[in-house]
Amino acid sequence: MIYDLIDTIIHIIVPIALFIFIATFALFAVYAERKIAGFVQDRLGPMETGRYGALQTIADILKLLQKEHINPTNTDSILFKAAPILIFVAVFTGFAMMPWAQDFLPANTHSGLFFIMAVISIDAIGILMAGWGSNNKYSLLGSMRAIAQMVSYEIPVGLSLIAAVMISQTLNLNEIALMQGIHATETIKFLGFWEVNQVGGIFAWHIFQAPHLLVVYLIFFIASLAECNRAPFDIPEAESELVGGYNTEYGGIHFAFLFLSEYAMMFLVSMLGVVLFLGAWNTPLPNIGALRLADWTTGLAWGIFWTLAKSMTIVAIQIWIRWTLPRFRADQLMNLCWKVLTPIAFLCIAISAIWRIFVMV
């Protein structure tokens, strides 16, 4: 009875803790995006609300929470209200399988990667619900373009993940993370020739276990930008073309959930890339002779720190790209997906098979 009670309490605390983290991250990421945008454009960004504008995002969310709930005329009330919740739940559920440190994750299953890809796909249904339920032709066009983009770029994302899984031979994200550090139970070879189980650090990361995995990660990173509707792939939210995309008619707490979902998705795909390619919670510092840097910087607290540090770095790169590159046209976006990324991803799958059979023996 006591163990059942403890288990129930844990199942309640973990989702609450994840939600608090996502909400806090979204507030920080919005502030960081404004500051990075200011730096790129040679201006200051938020400066008035709080010291260096640090309270600006808190003021914005308080404003959204106090706004009136307005349903436009003739909307499909059920779809219109349910869409933001479905979009957020789809992204939020994906965090259930993500390892933050060794054996420190909400759920440890043998099909964790497959589960994440499945629940993230539900996001497209929520976007279609938002566009259709709004009774606004611009919102509907925005949702259709968003779904066309997301469904297209799920192909190179999935193929890049398959190429990585063929090397690791497991869908369990905790096991994939374990294979990239000093605690690995299998032999790790840097670029296929130098055994680095005792060295660890950056040399043991998945991205360096085979030369083509660097290309695989680049495909995953580019395609994940499109999955998140981030620039230069933010056509569904192109202000000059579609007013505001599928979320045009949303305000208040509904818009807050859509906004939260976008930034949660940014962190989720960044963390997934870190777990699969960039060492997960393993330290980037190698053991060098008597300097046992990998041994000293490995553990529960260090694991959480490295996961956050790596993921935040990738998020910062996503933000930097948004304020650096111009937006693609729709035809350029689809050409990149179907004529460039997808064929290269298929080639990488073939290379992964050859590498696993003839090199990783």
Side-chain angles (χ1 to χ4, degrees), residues 10 62 91 170 263 323 325:
I10 291 175
L62 290 176
V91 179
T170 179
Y263 281 89
W323 300 102
L325 299 180

Side-chain angles (χ1 to χ4, degrees), residues 7 53 80-81 86 94 109 117 153 166 187 198 204 219 242 248 278 285 288 296 300 309 321 342 345:
D7 191 55
F80 185 76
K81 293 179 180 178
L86 180 63
T109 67
M117 293 302 296
Y153 276 86
M166 290 177 71
T187 301
Q198 301 302 318
I219 294 173
L242 299 173
T248 300
L278 305 180
L285 305 177
I288 306 174
W296 299 337
L300 177 60
I321 289 175
T342 300

